[in-house]
Amino acid sequence: SQQGEEDPQALSIQEGENATMNCSYKTSINNLQWYRQNSGRGLVHLILIRSNEREKHSGRLRVTLDTSKKSSSLLITASRAADTASYFCATDAKDQGAQKLVFGQGTRLTINP
Amino acid sequence: DAGVTQSPTHLIKTRGQHVTLRCSPISGHKSVSWYQQVLGQGPQFIFQYYEKEERGRGNFPDRFSARQFPNYSSELNVNALLLGDSALYLCASSSGFYNEQFFGPGTRLTVL
């Protein structure tokens, strides 16, 4: 079963606009990571936010985490055509000593020129 | 520095055959994890190895096995392949628990 649920499943915006994707999860976490995937290739790590952090920035990316609501959001500002990809959130899951990432089904982002 | 590398890039097998996928972690990383990603879905956890010991196993049948070598590289083995094993197999390495996991480019396995 998948813990993370991304919303929306698909998002299409114009170049230059901001894109916001949301992620909800079910159990307590140590951290949450966001990844980008282009056309079924490997996952590119974007950002990790720990459970005691509320907001984190990296370039044009801003991630927030609300552990009381078990949710996170990824904001991409001033979007570019190259941002077109699928975006996944992944929560770690304590599993008898293993570091096990649990992914949602992702948000498919399309940036229109 | 080189990232996570995986081989081969693509693989075509027939039902019932066996396959071995290989992964080299980022230098200095002692943790290697394997994930399966079926088209249209997020990756699913298969195994984690840390310091050459299995630390976790996902909900996959015993046909799936893995090991980690002294240099921290890893192999994923799948026996008696089924059509449903067709997927992108991803390897990730990490410097330690609760740190970032960095993924390789994946191996695309097609079972005919």
Side-chain angles (χ1 to χ4, degrees):
Chain A
S1 61
Q2 296 186 313
Q3 170 164 243
E5 293 290 338
E6 285 92 346
D7 171 58
Q9 291 189 358
L11 179 62
S12 181
I13 62 174
Q14 295 300 119
E15 195 168 14
E17 294 181 337
N18 296 340
T20 300
M21 288 158 274
N22 302 297
C23 167
S24 60
Y25 56 92
K26 298 175 184 174
T27 63
S28 296
I29 62 172
N30 290 301
N31 62 57
L32 185 146
Q33 302 181 59
W34 283 90
Y35 291 88
R36 184 184 75 231
Q37 186 176 41
N38 293 85
S39 301
R41 298 178 186 171
L43 298 170
V44 175
H45 187 271
L46 297 177
I47 201 162
L48 177 149
I49 186 165
R50 300 196 184 277
S51 60
N52 61 352
E53 298 175 309
R54 293 295 168 260
E55 188 170 313
K56 207 163 181 179
H57 297 255
S58 177
R60 295 184 296 114
L61 306 180
R62 185 182 76 133
V63 168
T64 62
L65 179 64
D66 187 334
T67 53
S68 67
K69 295 181 179 178
K70 291 186 169 59
S71 67
S72 175
S73 68
L74 169 67
L75 169 67
I76 303 174
T77 61
S79 63
R80 306 167 181 169
D83 294 328
T84 294
S86 291
Y87 291 82
F88 294 90
C89 70
T91 53
D92 72 342
K94 295 181 182 179
D95 183 17
Q96 299 176 340
Q99 182 188 20
K100 167 186 170 183
L101 291 184
V102 181
F103 289 82
Q105 291 192 331
T107 292
R108 186 170 183 83
L109 175 64
T110 301
I111 308 299
N112 302 303
Chain B
D1 286 342
V4 178
T5 60
Q6 293 186 243
S7 63
T9 305
H10 295 89
L11 205 51
I12 298 175
K13 293 285 189 179
T14 56
R15 283 176 295 175
Q17 286 190 312
H18 161 270
V19 69
T20 297
L21 310 181
R22 295 177 174 83
C23 170
S24 292
I26 292 171
S27 178
H29 286 191
K30 299 179 179 179
S31 171
V32 170
S33 298
W34 288 94
Y35 293 81
Q36 180 197 64
Q37 185 178 24
V38 176
L39 193 63
Q41 297 184 17
Q44 296 272 342
F45 173 79
I46 308 176
F47 285 109
Q48 184 200 15
Y49 276 78
Y50 184 75
E51 286 280 19
K52 293 157 281 184
E53 290 186 2
E54 182 182 307
R55 300 301 295 268
R57 183 187 186 106
N59 188 24
F60 281 82
D62 291 343
R63 298 185 296 107
F64 289 76
S65 64
R67 55 180 176 167
Q68 186 176 35
F69 299 99
N71 66 352
Y72 303 110
S73 67
S74 177
E75 282 183 356
L76 174 69
N77 294 284
V78 187
N79 292 323
L81 286 167
L82 303 174
L83 295 179
D85 295 331
S86 295
L88 180 68
Y89 288 84
L90 296 161
C91 173
S93 78
S94 175
S95 59
F97 279 67
Y98 312 128
N99 292 340
E100 293 87 346
Q101 285 200 23
F102 297 96
F103 284 79
T107 293
R108 173 73 61 186
L109 172 65
T110 301
V111 181
L112 302 176

